[in-house]
Amino acid sequence: DVSPGATAAPVRRDAQAPLFRVWMKREGVRSASLDLATFGTRGRGCTALRDIAPGEVLVSLPRAAAMDLGTLTQVPVPPALASAECWLSLPWFAQLALWVLAEEAKGPASRWAAYIELLPLEGRALDTPYHWPDADLAALRYEPIAEGAAEQRALFRSLHAAVVRSAAGSGLTLDAFACACEAVLSRAFPTAGLAERARGTGDGGGGGGGG
């Protein structure tokens, strides 16, 4: 959050910042004017380390540092999580969500461990309408939000069921899958992925999105 007034909440240095900075340096990500910070109850964001000039580049991220479906040459998730056939059939955000979960399972061995540690995955998810009880949604008295949450729940349930069916004994929970999908949808955008390239089409999706 670099908007005016963002510092109105108490700001403290983010505990994950040092490890993330090490990851950024290793991957060639450059940002001399920003650092991670926690803004009271508003959550994690970026704080300026100095005055920022008009037109200044805030972050420079090499494409190779991103978790980018457009660069894949093979399915990036293990069969125990989802079959290759199932993964290729999923929409881009679900593909990327499963890839994130596969990397999270690797722990420190993952190339993107320091980045994934910052994502709002299961156990540290954001309080979005998807997670609200029906009574809370009804209290808003605004049907589009309730309808949107219901549609999202139905979609995530359907996709999760397909993934679990494809991998016998999969321990993937609906909550873990949904949180990963939400993290991806808030941080990534579609590009032509592995499935589209295999079919010779450019529409539909992969997801670009790492740092």
Side-chain angles (χ1 to χ4, degrees):
D1 190 344
V2 293
S3 60
T7 56
V11 180
R12 60 182 174 82
R13 183 176 174 82
D14 195 287
Q16 297 296 327
L19 287 176
F20 190 61
R21 280 285 178 184
V22 170
W23 177 84
M24 290 174 62
K25 183 176 181 180
R26 188 188 73 214
E27 296 293 337
V29 181
R30 298 179 181 179
S31 178
S33 57
L34 301 178
D35 201 6
L36 291 177
T38 300
F39 295 81
T41 59
R42 296 176 63 177
R44 176 180 284 123
C46 287
T47 186
L49 298 173
R50 55 173 172 76
D51 290 343
I52 297 173
E56 179 179 345
V57 175
L58 298 181
V59 180
S60 174
L61 174 77
R63 183 173 183 177
M67 295 184 69
D68 185 353
L69 295 179
T71 64
L72 292 175
T73 58
Q74 60 185 16
V75 173
V77 303
L81 183 58
S83 71
E85 181 180 9
C86 174
W87 186 86
L88 288 169
S89 72
L90 296 172
W92 70 270
F93 66 86
Q95 291 182 340
L96 189 50
L98 289 177
W99 185 10
V100 166
L101 291 172
E103 293 297 326
E104 182 189 35
K106 296 178 183 178
S110 169
R111 174 183 173 184
W112 293 280
Y115 172 70
I116 290 173
E117 184 63 28
L118 302 177
L119 296 178
L121 301 179
E122 185 180 26
R124 52 182 188 270
L126 300 178
D127 185 20
T128 61
Y130 172 89
H131 302 280
W132 294 1
D134 290 339
D136 289 355
L137 289 169
L140 291 176
R141 298 181 181 274
Y142 188 64
E143 290 186 5
I145 289 182
E147 291 172 355
E151 290 174 3
Q152 191 176 54
R153 289 171 181 171
L155 175 61
F156 288 172
R157 281 197 300 268
S158 175
L159 295 174
H160 173 260
V163 170
V164 172
R165 283 196 303 269
S166 79
S170 172
L172 179 64
T173 66
L174 174 58
D175 190 50
F177 178 73
C179 289
C181 286
E182 284 193 301
V184 165
L185 286 168
S186 66
R187 287 162 173 79
F189 52 88
T191 63
L194 186 61
E196 287 68 38
R197 297 200 309 276
R199 291 195 296 266
T201 62
D203 58 335

